[in-house]
Amino acid sequence: MKIVDAKVVVTSPGRNFVTLKITTDEGLTGLGDATLNGRELSVASYLQDHVIPLLIGTDPHRIEDTWQGLYRGAYWRRGPVTMAAIAAVDVALWDIKAKAAGLPLYQLLGGASRERVGTYGHASGTDIPELLDSVRARIAEGYPSIRIQTGVPGLKAVYGVHSTGHDGDAVAHQQARPMVEDWDTAAYMRHIPEVFEAVRNEFGPELPLLHDAHHRLTPIQAARVAKDLEPYRLFWLEDCTPAEDQEGLRLVRQHTTTPLAIGEVFNTVYDYQTLISEKLIDYVRSAVTHFGGVSPLKKLFDFAAQHQIKSGIHGPEDISPVGMAAAIHLDLAIHNFGIQEYSGYTQLTEEVFPHAYTFTNGYLHPGEAPGIGVELNEDLAAAHEYKAAYLPVNRLQDGTVHDW
């Protein structure tokens, strides 16, 4: 079998998505997600101009060899653009291999380790009463675990609280220049324990609760927040401090028993080496789409398992259903699964990317279709052209750019 064609499809059914479609001489096709929110066209060019010419004529079954060639052969390694492009190739080749075998992808990864994949949904509100209503809505939709984000008194716009949608971030994307949010760390640190006290008082001690600090705290500030939240028994505190400084997590870890999750902005295992080997975190958060695909993420989870660390794959709405499907196959197969983030998609997005995976009563299953179980409606995709979109930026009260 040989690869005879590959093309990049950029579509915007409410959000921008970048999809790679690979075709073989036996008529099998594979899809991979290369979406990099706010930098979509960079990945599309990387694939179209630099990667696809290397794929034509090669054997699609040689997934590991192709991965290593794209990673090591470029010399300039790592980085989000490179790894998103490699991820698209990797997932598309796994899609083809599984279709050739007539099996869903998870069967090629060792088979199912569980019957279903647990998720968490996003609840948010500009104030606590609105947040509580949002939590009720997520519970009514069947989510067994809930991420809690809320506005901070005195701030106009805060991560995760931009609209009434699940994610709360959608409004910030489809515009030609970045939305500017404001931030006050001291105000946040005073407010967030009150938020969790209100949620626990309303919903009791059994509902698993998560929270995302979104890289905005220094290690000592993160340690303070994590310690203050201990009475509320979080499932995890996510991205409490910028984790490029892996050693900074030592300070957080020594001061708190709140479980920590990190990694959605990471691209390779090298970003995790200290965090995993020293057991400084409890969940790894990288997405298939941004980590180079199924192949390296499976290896990462195997590494994490040696240190009793579980998975928590990043699953926002700006990862396409192709990337989500690949994640669900991994979730079902690996032994050290933790939880899967899932916000769902608009009806239009699901029409562009019809899929076999299902979401029922808060749990996902990849389905039994051969491959990853996602198709691409190219005619409908073409009817929704790319629109410039950016993630927000964040500034302190005095105007200084801060981590978003």
Side-chain angles (χ1 to χ4, degrees), residues 3 38 71 92 246 275 337:
I3 295 173
Y71 180 80
Q246 295 186 44
L275 298 176
F337 169 74

Side-chain angles (χ1 to χ4, degrees), residues 46 54 68-77 82 86:
Y46 194 105
L54 303 177
Q68 297 294 344
L70 293 175
Y71 180 80
R72 299 176 187 279
Y75 185 69
W76 309 107
R77 301 178 186 179
T82 294
I86 294 175

Side-chain angles (χ1 to χ4, degrees), residues 334-348:
I334 61 173
H335 179 259
N336 57 325
F337 169 74
I339 200 167
Q340 174 63 56
E341 180 179 20
Y342 184 71
S343 299
Y345 295 96
T346 65
Q347 181 178 344
L348 179 57

Side-chain angles (χ1 to χ4, degrees), residues 289-308:
T289 300
H290 302 140
F291 202 77
V294 168
S295 299
L297 196 55
K298 175 68 162 58
K299 295 173 185 176
L300 175 70
F301 292 150
D302 290 341
F303 175 34
Q306 297 176 42
H307 299 272
Q308 302 186 68

Side-chain angles (χ1 to χ4, degrees), residues 2 130 144 183:
K2 300 293 182 184
E130 187 176 290
W183 185 249

Side-chain angles (χ1 to χ4, degrees), residues 55-298:
L55 298 177
I56 305 302
T58 63
D59 182 353
H61 285 305
R62 298 184 62 169
I63 299 175
E64 181 70 14
D65 184 64
T66 299
W67 195 98
Q68 297 294 344
L70 293 175
Y71 180 80
R72 299 176 187 279
Y75 185 69
W76 309 107
R77 301 178 186 179
R78 307 169 68 184
V81 174
T82 294
M83 299 312 291
I86 294 175
V89 175
D90 184 80
V91 172
L93 295 184
W94 276 110
D95 194 16
I96 289 170
K97 184 180 283 288
K99 286 176 179 175
L103 295 169
L105 174 58
Y106 76 84
Q107 293 288 14
L108 274 62
L109 303 176
S113 289
R114 56 198 45 81
E115 299 302 317
R116 55 185 183 168
V117 171
T119 69
Y120 70 90
H122 295 178
S124 68
T126 56
D127 56 24
I128 290 176
E130 187 176 290
L131 168 66
L132 298 180
D133 286 343
S134 182
V135 174
R136 293 185 190 98
R138 300 293 84 77
I139 292 173
E141 292 167 352
Y143 284 101
S145 305
I146 312 290
R147 191 188 78 168
I148 302 299
Q149 306 295 137
T150 185
V152 176
L155 300 185
K156 298 185 293 295
V158 176
Y159 165 76
V161 192
H162 299 302
S163 74
T164 57
H166 291 196
D167 191 340
D169 298 335
V171 155
H173 291 261
Q174 291 290 340
Q175 55 187 46
R177 295 185 66 85
M179 174 182 177
V180 179
E181 296 181 351
D182 53 348
W183 185 249
D184 183 331
T185 301
Y188 162 79
M189 293 176 69
R190 289 192 300 269
H191 181 60
I192 198 64
E194 299 175 3
V195 171
F196 277 89
E197 182 176 9
V199 174
R200 281 290 180 225
N201 286 341
E202 182 72 18
F203 297 101
E206 295 182 359
L207 178 64
L209 302 177
L210 304 85
H211 177 64
D212 186 357
H214 225 241
H215 320 100
R216 296 185 173 192
L217 307 175
T218 65
I220 194 65
Q221 291 168 344
R224 177 76 268 168
V225 168
K227 191 170 183 65
D228 287 347
L229 294 179
E230 283 181 7
Y232 310 108
R233 300 296 179 96
L234 270 63
F235 184 95
W236 78 37
L237 174 63
E238 178 183 345
D239 289 339
C240 60
T241 191
E244 294 94 329
D245 176 18
Q246 295 186 44
E247 295 181 357
L249 270 294
R250 291 175 183 156
L251 180 63
V252 182
R253 195 61 142 181
Q254 73 185 41
H255 286 292
T256 184
T257 57
T258 296
L260 303 175
I262 271 177
E264 69 183 53
V265 299
F266 287 171
N267 308 127
T268 72
V269 67
Y270 302 107
D271 299 308
Y272 282 106
Q273 281 185 308
T274 299
L275 298 176
I276 290 177
S277 63
E278 296 189 17
K279 299 180 174 64
L280 300 180
I281 58 174
D282 301 279
Y283 297 89
V284 294
R285 289 278 292 133
S286 291
V288 173
T289 300
H290 302 140
F291 202 77
V294 168
S295 299
L297 196 55
K298 175 68 162 58

Side-chain angles (χ1 to χ4, degrees), residues 346-388:
T346 65
Q347 181 178 344
L348 179 57
T349 298
E350 299 212 336
E351 290 172 359
V352 173
F353 298 96
H355 53 77
Y357 70 77
T358 56
F359 177 70
T360 306
N361 297 325
Y363 291 85
L364 290 159
H365 191 280
E368 299 300 327
I372 62 171
V374 182
E375 301 299 328
L376 175 63
N377 184 330
E378 295 188 50
D379 290 337
L380 187 56
H384 298 277
E385 297 181 351
Y386 167 84
K387 298 178 182 178

